[in-house]
Amino acid sequence: MQSEMNIDTLSIDSKYLFEQLCTEKKLLEGWREVKRNRGTSGSDGQTIETFETQLHEEIKRLRQELESWTYEPQPVRRVEIPKPDGSGIRLLGVPCIRDRVIQTSIKQLLEPILDPLFSVSSYGFRPGKNQEQAVVAAQKIVQSGKRYVVDIDLSQFFDRVNQDRLLGRLSKMIEDKRILKLIGKTLRSGVMKNGMISPTTEGTTQGSPLSPLLSNIVLDELDKEIEKRGLEHCRFADDCNIFVKTPKAAERIMKSISEFIEKKLKLVVNQAKSKVAESSLVKFLGMTIVDGARAIAKKSICRAMDKVKELTPRGTHKKLEDTIEQINSWYMGWSNYYSMTQYPSQLKAIESHIRRRLRSRIIDQQKSRRNLFQKLLKRGVSRTRAAATSFSNKKRWALSHTPALEVAYPNRWFINEMNLQTRSNEKREHWFDIKKWIRLT
């Protein structure tokens, strides 16, 4: 069984990985994945387009540098992005294109060897596994009666990985020490920010092609420890939930697992964000389990509402068509992910809020109440209702939810507008047609 494989005792016959890496065929395979994933330039400023114009020479040079051991990875370009919850910044690193080709090629060599060794309860950054599978697995555990969750949050996980422990664990799985040496060089390549280079003595660069695989190697040790204790859990990257039947057991496990993480793995548990609670109060991958069913977490709903507000600001001179296009682009991706909810009313509430914000924008575009009155008449509203609505003392937000505005701009109007936008963008589906792709179980 997959879960019974033990990384500490299993050695893989992988003596000749380096020879496979030093071939133009393997490097070109890595390049194709890099090109498919796109991304910006690294610290050397070289773009994907520039690399491609001299592809043959670049691949040949990389192969020669690897064979002669003159290859040196460049420092990654530091990028700082704010966290969604506003709790700080996330540090990302953008490797150079040529380094991404090498790292991707190494990942393609190692993944078929390492992935079968990982826990069945690990769902992040693995072929054939995704967030929805993780949430469904968590749901099944809760339905079995284990409704108390040990929600462990790791503080700055990618920045605090102990590189020596990582390479030591990897050496038990990979026999070719030359590959280990290359990975070590990559981990210690440094960071460039504002033209200054800083060394990297710990962590794996979040944003590099190798980082997801390396993170699973580190946290597989946690998976195995949890399984050894006979506990059920779900993990996606550094987001780990353990499920038990009683709050007392949950508190005990929180303490002991936190000690294991900090003393054995040399990582840091964020005590402020880690907690023990019933499943309905715990957010996992943006979802929560309520009465045994999957629901979009309250925080995720609030962030979506904030995003809608951001996309439909007051006092803007942006064309309505441009606003609709932006909303369409965002909502298609957002709702496609959260369609795993078993409460479709949550998605309908977001859609309703979007329509109301857009109706409010339409009202704001009318320079006078008389203009609004004329607009409502043209849109098929009776003269009496149009007058009562237009010349009332209500502000635009209150007017946006009146029968007159909903008659003038019904749901079908927005669907048609979305179709116009998606046709202009050569897309097949529009975002309001929720019935096409929402999956209910």
Side-chain angles (χ1 to χ4, degrees):
M1 292 292 290
Q2 184 183 39
S3 59
E4 294 172 349
M5 293 184 180
N6 190 334
I7 287 175
D8 292 320
T9 59
L10 184 60
S11 178
I12 302 296
D13 184 13
S14 51
K15 296 178 181 179
Y16 306 108
L17 292 175
F18 187 73
E19 280 76 12
Q20 296 179 52
L21 178 65
C22 295
T23 61
E24 292 191 12
K25 178 183 178 183
K26 174 51 67 177
L27 293 173
L28 282 170
E29 287 177 6
W31 153 251
R32 282 191 283 270
E33 185 171 331
V34 169
K35 182 183 178 181
R36 188 163 55 248
N37 292 335
R38 305 301 300 167
T40 61
S41 59
S43 57
D44 64 352
Q46 187 182 42
T47 64
I48 287 178
E49 290 75 21
T50 304
F51 189 95
E52 189 171 24
T53 59
Q54 43 197 2
L55 179 61
H56 179 72
E57 292 80 6
E58 291 283 3
I59 294 297
K60 184 177 180 180
R61 188 180 302 117
L62 279 176
R63 181 178 61 79
Q64 292 172 344
E65 289 180 13
L66 287 171
E67 290 178 334
S68 62
W69 282 99
T70 57
Y71 167 73
E72 294 291 338
Q74 298 299 304
V76 299
R77 179 169 61 86
R78 172 65 76 217
V79 177
E80 299 178 353
I81 61 172
K83 292 185 178 179
D85 57 3
S87 61
I89 59 172
R90 180 173 284 115
L91 301 178
L92 303 181
V94 182
C96 301
I97 304 300
R98 66 197 316 270
D99 294 334
R100 298 216 292 265
V101 171
I102 296 289
Q103 292 179 37
T104 302
S105 300
I106 293 174
K107 185 203 75 170
Q108 290 173 343
L109 284 171
L110 296 186
E111 197 166 60
I113 297 171
L114 303 182
D115 191 76
L117 307 180
F118 294 149
S119 167
V120 295
S121 299
S122 168
Y123 295 88
F125 311 127
R126 298 184 62 188
K129 294 206 171 189
N130 56 44
Q131 292 99 324
E132 183 169 357
Q133 291 173 350
V135 174
V136 170
Q139 177 188 15
K140 290 179 180 178
I141 298 173
V142 172
Q143 289 173 338
S144 73
K146 297 180 179 179
R147 59 191 182 94
Y148 289 93
V149 183
V150 180
D151 182 15
I152 299 175
D153 185 272
L154 300 180
S155 177
Q156 297 178 317
F157 164 71
F158 286 93
D159 302 321
R160 287 177 166 156
V161 167
N162 185 293
Q163 294 178 356
D164 292 333
R165 289 197 84 260
L166 167 59
L167 291 172
R169 189 163 177 79
L170 188 55
S171 69
K172 298 176 182 179
M173 307 152 68
I174 301 297
E175 291 184 276
D176 196 332
K177 306 307 177 188
R178 295 167 295 179
I179 292 292
L180 297 180
K181 184 178 178 180
L182 272 178
I183 293 174
K185 281 188 171 210
T186 296
L187 290 173
R188 301 183 180 100
S189 62
V191 172
M192 179 178 285
K193 181 181 178 183
N194 299 326
M196 301 293 292
I197 298 176
S198 304
T200 48
T201 57
E202 64 176 359
T204 65
T205 301
Q206 190 172 4
S208 75
L210 259 179
S211 186
L213 180 61
L214 298 180
S215 69
N216 272 333
I217 294 170
V218 174
L219 292 175
D220 185 72
E221 195 170 356
L222 173 61
D223 295 333
K224 297 299 193 294
E225 177 66 21
I226 293 172
E227 291 168 355
K228 187 172 73 175
R229 300 183 186 195
L231 301 171
E232 290 190 275
H233 78 293
C234 291
R235 182 178 65 79
F236 192 98
D238 58 333
D239 196 349
C240 181
N241 283 353
I242 305 171
F243 302 86
V244 294
K245 291 184 177 181
T246 67
K248 186 176 180 179
E251 294 288 354
R252 184 179 68 252
I253 291 165
M254 170 65 82
K255 181 180 178 181
S256 61
I257 291 294
S258 295
E259 288 178 357
F260 173 83
I261 290 171
E262 296 191 331
K263 292 181 179 179
K264 185 73 182 290
L265 302 186
K266 309 299 183 184
L267 298 170
V268 178
V269 175
N270 188 330
Q271 300 294 343
K273 291 188 176 180
S274 299
K275 64 179 179 180
V276 168
E278 289 194 53
S279 64
S280 61
L281 301 176
V282 175
K283 180 170 71 72
F284 181 52
L285 301 176
M287 303 293 291
T288 189
I289 310 301
V290 179
D291 296 329
R294 302 186 301 275
I296 305 173
K298 185 178 179 180
K299 283 187 178 180
S300 301
I301 292 288
C302 290
R303 287 177 191 167
M305 291 294 191
D306 290 340
K307 183 66 177 180
V308 172
K309 187 176 181 180
E310 176 190 324
L311 292 172
T312 55
R314 292 187 176 185
T316 181
H317 297 289
K318 186 183 295 184
K319 292 182 179 179
L320 184 64
E321 292 80 3
D322 294 338
T323 298
I324 288 175
E325 184 177 351
Q326 283 188 313
I327 293 173
N328 195 19
S329 176
W330 164 75
Y331 189 73
M332 185 61 127
W334 188 91
S335 57
N336 191 42
Y337 175 81
Y338 285 106
S339 65
M340 71 176 87
T341 181
Q342 292 177 301
Y343 293 90
S345 58
Q346 293 183 301
L347 292 171
K348 292 177 181 178
I350 297 290
E351 294 174 9
S352 177
H353 186 64
I354 292 173
R355 286 191 290 265
R356 187 171 179 184
R357 294 282 303 186
L358 292 175
R359 288 188 184 105
S360 180
R361 165 75 68 81
I362 292 170
I363 294 170
D364 193 49
Q365 289 177 339
Q366 311 311 310
K367 295 182 179 180
S368 67
R369 292 289 177 132
R370 179 168 292 279
N371 284 1
L372 176 60
F373 171 71
Q374 294 295 333
K375 175 72 75 173
L376 293 178
L377 287 179
K378 290 180 181 179
R379 297 291 306 171
V381 180
S382 68
R383 177 174 292 272
T384 301
R385 177 173 282 180
T389 302
S390 302
F391 301 109
S392 69
N393 292 324
K394 293 180 179 179
K395 302 295 184 181
R396 70 172 197 167
W397 184 245
L399 287 173
S400 66
H401 195 46
T402 57
L405 265 295
E406 291 173 356
V407 167
Y409 298 95
N411 294 356
R412 178 53 54 184
W413 182 85
F414 290 99
I415 292 175
N416 291 337
E417 285 298 308
M418 294 307 111
N419 275 325
L420 287 173
Q421 290 299 322
T422 52
R423 281 199 295 271
S424 68
N425 292 331
E426 296 183 350
K427 295 178 181 177
R428 294 183 178 180
E429 293 180 309
H430 58 74
W431 57 287
F432 274 124
D433 221 344
I434 197 75
K435 292 180 180 178
K436 283 188 177 180
W437 33 266
I438 187 166
R439 298 183 298 281
L440 301 178
T441 58

